[in-house]
Amino acid sequence: MTHNTPNKHTQSPLRHVLRGFVAGEARRGSHLRGDRRGASAILGTMLAFALVVSLVAMVQVSAVPAWNQQTEFEHLTAAETDFAAFDESVAKAVDGRQTRATLDAGVDYPTRALFVSPAAGSGSLRTTDPATARISGAVATGETGTYWDGSEHAFDTQQFVYRPDYRYLQSEPSLVHEGTAQYTAYGGSEVGATQSLVDGTKVSLVFLEGDIDTATGEATTFSVVPLSAGTDYITVTDAGTPITISVPTRLSEDAWRDLLADEPNVRSISYATGADYNTLTVELAPGKTYDLRLSRVGIDTPGALQEPAYIIDVEGDNAVVPPGATHRAVVEVRDAQNNPVPNAVVKASPGLTAESGRIVARDTGTISTVTDGDGRATFVYTATSSVDGVVSDEFDVVVEDSAGANVDRVTFDVQLREGGVTDPLRGLVAAIGDPGFVYADVDGNGEFDGADYRVNNTGTGGDIVYDAGSDRLVVPPSVRTIVSNEDITLAGEGVSLHVDIVATGSNSRIDIDAGSGSLAAVGVSVTSVSGKNIDVTAGDEIDLSGASVTQGSNADLTIEAGGDIDIDNAGVTLTQDRNLLAVTSTNGFVSARSADISGKGDVRIDGAHGVDLSGAGLSGVKDNADLEIVSARGGANLNGVVMLGDGDILVDAEGNIFVVGANIASAKTDVEITSNNGMVSGREAAISAEDDVVITAATRIYLPNSAIEDKDSPELNAPDVEA
């Protein structure tokens, strides 16, 4: 085969054509004028293309970075908005609410024709290594003073940091949350700093806890969990040494001084630099009372329960218990942040004397139980059936950690005394079965068993109605406070109430009707904020000892029983004008020893077989309202009573009336004391009236060392008078 070697023309056909074209034009050039328009068009196109390329290059080098820098700035603004929402999530966790927060970690650069944009950026989210915050010199009032006694308390805390990976902004920012402060840091400066450490007399510390260390370009969502919700403040002051608070921080000293400059209770600030973090120490002004709140918030953590730190008594210490009576003792377990710890193991020890009573947990019937959602547990102390004189007893309740080791204990002192209760006492009527809902106690044995059944709320339109019909209604402690904006009705042939009741509506009323049975509601609170009447009725006995019954509206408050009424150590109050407060036993005895009974309308205590108001306080100080103590078939014990009335004070009893150490005074009208078939007797009484004092007795008036005064001369009517 023969191979022809191509010449230089056949090597480039396009070049061959162009050469022919140029040669022809040259031959014609002798008789035609030259035409360069085609060459100019080509050169113009080439120049325009070069200009476009140069312009694109210039925009890519100068404008595109500026545009991308603007994109990064807009992303930073959005990230700061997300961070502000994260701060709100932390605040919700402090109040006990779990939420989720989202941060768009990476920046997306827009795609632009003819220009090159970088790939999407990323950002890092991390929690720092734990550091230590400290509080010293804080002394709490009340039972918490056993733990907050001025000694130093230390707490681990972390910081949450988001750092976007920007390519164009000159200073790479970091968004930082320290629990007590948040800000955006640019190298050596910060912007947007806020603090929640000190606000007047409120001191709040939020300790962050988490394990995050990730870099991503995606939007990241994570949980914000209340590990120890600071729902309550504790009241603290100093004991001569000022309260100091030290927190780890990366916020600059100048920024902290600016943030705290307007806080009048910040006495001094010191700032110590460190390798990993700095330490801010704030000294509070001495001699003042502060509200301290501590909280722990988890970031992207399942939320482990806090270990118990200490235990306090809520109710039941320093009680006086008669023989055979039951008494309630309530404890609360708290963590290092002073917040309740649920599911903590608490155990009671037996009494320490030969006549010690029996102590068991109310819900288990044994010495051991766990705390409820509020960190509380209730024990029931049962006194021995007979006591020789006065016997002091005590028992302990200890709290254990998760390993079973004792953490702390609280001691309850009890005095066993023949003759009844003389000090304020709140407690249970008896240990009861608690299935977790309202029920009918068919056989009345105080246990949820046998034919007992659940009683549901049958109210409509917001009303709450629990009605056991012909059986005894039991509202156990697990039901917790009953609150309604409408009417609240509890009914049955007998009622056992172990929770508080609150009616909040302007037209709501409270009706507790035990039918022909008895009502037991020891130590509870029954409150109408602004509604209609409160009516508590029973055909048999009513036991409201240690209870609080408050009518806050322009309506009546009545307690009426066919049998005895016990309101020892109770508070019964009517706050509005010209309404009736009445406690009536139609066929029994009214005992209101050491009770506090007050109203701005008429107050009437009527016990058919007698009234005992020893040590009580009664007042009716509005628009000549009357105070009446009546007993149709019995006497009246007013030893140590304080009765202050704006109108008439009337005491009318069939039997003897005792007024040892009593203080009875009407500011505007009369005091009348009448024993229809007995005597009026008492040493060192003080009885006075703006108008007249009239004391009448069938047999004798005996008031030695007493002060009896009215506008002129008291009237004493009896066959035998010594006063």
Side-chain angles (χ1 to χ4, degrees):
M1 180 178 293
T2 304
H3 296 277
N4 294 323
T5 303
N7 60 27
K8 61 183 178 180
H9 301 294
T10 59
Q11 288 176 349
S12 178
L14 179 59
R15 184 181 297 177
H16 176 71
V17 173
L18 289 174
R19 283 180 176 273
F21 177 80
V22 173
E25 289 298 316
R27 286 192 297 271
R28 289 190 294 271
S30 59
H31 58 276
L32 294 174
R33 189 177 60 185
D35 189 348
R36 297 182 178 141
R37 287 176 297 172
S40 298
I42 293 171
L43 289 174
T45 300
M46 294 176 65
L47 288 172
F49 179 75
L51 181 61
V52 169
V53 171
S54 298
L55 181 61
V56 169
M58 291 175 60
V59 172
Q60 180 69 47
V61 172
S62 59
V64 170
W67 294 340
N68 288 338
Q69 187 180 59
Q70 178 64 27
T71 299
E72 291 179 346
F73 179 78
E74 292 171 355
H75 177 266
L76 176 61
T77 302
E80 288 178 329
T81 300
D82 289 344
F83 215 70
F86 166 68
D87 181 58
E88 292 178 1
S89 295
V90 172
K92 291 177 180 178
V94 168
D95 290 333
R97 292 175 289 169
Q98 179 171 336
T99 59
R100 298 183 68 81
T102 300
L103 279 173
D104 190 359
V107 57
D108 289 326
Y109 300 96
T111 300
R112 301 180 179 93
L114 301 179
F115 304 111
V116 178
S117 291
S122 63
S124 65
L125 299 94
R126 69 184 182 94
T127 48
T128 63
D129 292 336
T132 303
R134 304 178 190 276
I135 303 174
S136 63
V139 178
T141 59
E143 298 299 331
T144 53
T146 59
Y147 183 74
W148 290 93
D149 57 0
S151 59
E152 181 179 270
H153 295 273
F155 309 87
D156 285 342
T157 185
Q158 297 171 258
Q159 298 176 1
F160 179 63
V161 181
Y162 163 61
R163 178 174 293 171
D165 184 15
Y166 292 148
R167 295 177 173 85
Y168 297 96
L169 286 179
Q170 294 181 353
S171 297
E172 287 194 356
S174 294
L175 279 63
V176 184
H177 201 300
E178 297 185 349
T180 54
Q182 68 157 333
Y183 53 93
T184 302
Y186 292 92
S189 63
E190 304 98 355
V191 298
T194 61
Q195 66 87 24
S196 58
L197 180 61
V198 181
D199 181 12
T201 58
K202 287 183 168 56
V203 179
S204 304
L205 285 89
V206 179
F207 308 121
L208 301 182
E209 180 178 319
D211 187 15
I212 299 178
D213 191 358
T214 183
T216 180
E218 304 296 329
T220 301
T221 300
F222 47 90
S223 60
V224 184
V225 182
L227 300 182
S228 178
T231 54
D232 293 323
Y233 287 90
I234 61 170
T235 301
V236 297
T237 187
D238 62 272
T241 301
I243 298 172
T244 59
I245 304 165
S246 297
V247 294
T249 184
R250 289 181 173 86
L251 186 61
S252 67
E253 180 179 0
D254 289 342
W256 271 113
R257 290 189 179 276
D258 288 342
L259 290 173
L260 298 174
D262 295 330
E263 292 296 334
N265 295 316
V266 174
R267 184 185 189 186
S268 66
I269 295 173
S270 60
Y271 193 91
T273 58
D276 297 325
Y277 59 88
N278 307 316
T279 301
L280 170 77
T281 300
V282 174
E283 183 179 294
L284 300 179
K288 293 190 175 184
T289 299
Y290 297 92
D291 294 322
L292 176 64
R293 182 169 71 166
L294 309 177
S295 311
R296 184 167 294 274
V297 175
I299 303 173
D300 203 32
T301 177
L305 289 175
Q306 298 291 292
E307 287 284 0
Y310 65 104
I311 184 172
I312 63 172
D313 68 84
V314 178
E315 294 179 16
D317 191 22
N318 295 318
V320 178
V321 183
T326 59
H327 173 60
R328 182 170 69 174
V330 182
V331 297
E332 183 175 306
V333 177
R334 298 183 179 180
D335 60 24
Q337 287 79 226
N338 194 58
N339 298 313
V341 180
N343 297 317
V345 176
V346 286
K347 294 180 179 179
S349 68
L352 303 179
T353 70
E355 295 178 291
S356 292
R358 179 173 177 264
I359 177 71
V360 296
R362 181 183 64 188
D363 54 349
T364 66
T366 67
I367 64 170
S368 179
T369 187
V370 295
T371 55
D372 62 14
D374 296 323
R376 294 189 174 187
T378 300
F379 292 83
V380 177
Y381 175 90
T382 304
T384 54
S385 58
S386 62
V387 176
D388 184 11
V390 177
V391 176
S392 294
D393 194 10
E394 66 179 44
F395 59 90
D396 292 342
V397 178
V398 301
V399 57
E400 297 179 350
D401 61 18
S402 56
N406 288 353
V407 175
D408 193 22
R409 72 177 56 232
V410 61
T411 299
F412 289 85
D413 293 313
V414 179
Q415 188 177 89
L416 308 180
R417 180 185 299 175
E418 190 72 46
V421 179
T422 58
D423 290 339
L425 170 67
R426 287 174 64 93
L428 288 171
V429 177
I432 61 165
D434 190 344
F437 47 78
V438 179
Y439 68 95
D441 188 8
V442 176
D443 57 7
N445 66 350
E447 298 289 337
F448 182 75
D449 55 12
D452 296 347
Y453 57 92
R454 180 169 186 161
V455 176
N456 294 314
N457 174 19
T458 58
T460 59
D463 291 347
I464 293 178
V465 178
Y466 290 104
D467 191 342
S470 60
D471 298 314
R472 186 174 187 83
L473 181 75
V474 179
V475 186
S478 60
V479 175
R480 306 239 175 133
T481 301
I482 297 175
V483 181
S484 177
N485 196 46
E486 302 296 335
D487 293 348
I488 299 174
T489 301
L490 306 178
E493 285 300 302
V495 174
S496 291
L497 178 62
H498 299 266
V499 301
D500 296 340
I501 295 178
V502 181
T504 60
S506 59
N507 292 313
S508 57
R509 62 179 295 152
I510 297 174
D511 189 3
I512 305 174
D513 185 357
S516 61
S518 64
L519 168 64
V522 176
V524 304
S525 174
V526 179
T527 304
S528 174
V529 177
S530 59
K532 294 185 178 179
N533 292 356
I534 296 178
D535 294 316
V536 181
T537 59
D540 199 350
E541 300 175 349
I542 290 179
D543 187 355
L544 287 168
S545 57
S548 173
V549 185
T550 304
Q551 174 59 275
S553 65
N554 190 20
D556 296 339
L557 190 167
T558 60
I559 301 171
E560 182 173 351
D564 294 342
I565 295 177
D566 185 351
I567 53 174
D568 290 348
N569 310 294
V572 184
T573 306
L574 193 152
T575 64
Q576 296 296 322
D577 300 349
R578 307 304 299 170
N579 297 297
L580 175 65
L581 189 165
V583 180
T584 305
S585 170
T586 58
N587 196 33
F589 186 92
V590 173
S591 179
R593 303 176 68 183
S594 299
D596 184 0
I597 303 170
S598 63
K600 290 188 176 180
D602 293 341
V603 176
R604 180 181 176 90
I605 312 296
D606 186 347
H609 290 288
V611 175
D612 186 354
L613 289 167
S614 59
L618 282 82
S619 63
V621 289
K622 184 69 175 180
D623 297 333
N624 298 322
D626 295 339
L627 291 180
E628 295 184 61
I629 310 300
V630 179
S631 179
R633 298 189 291 277
N637 182 357
L638 306 182
N639 291 341
V641 75
V642 176
M643 295 177 63
L644 303 176
D646 196 37
D648 291 339
I649 295 179
L650 306 173
V651 181
D652 191 336
E654 179 66 15
N656 297 328
I657 299 175
F658 299 99
V659 290
V660 176
N663 187 337
I664 302 172
S666 171
K668 293 183 178 179
T669 55
D670 304 327
V671 172
E672 297 183 22
I673 301 175
T674 303
S675 173
N676 295 296
N677 198 31
M679 65 177 177
V680 176
S681 175
R683 292 177 176 272
E684 300 179 347
I687 303 172
S688 63
E690 179 68 16
D691 289 333
D692 297 324
V693 172
V694 179
I695 302 176
T696 303
T699 60
R700 186 186 187 196
I701 295 175
Y702 179 72
L703 298 171
N705 302 318
S706 298
I708 306 172
E709 300 176 352
D710 65 8
K711 65 179 181 180
D712 42 41
S713 178
E715 182 179 340
L716 306 180
N717 304 311
D720 182 9
V721 176
E722 181 178 347

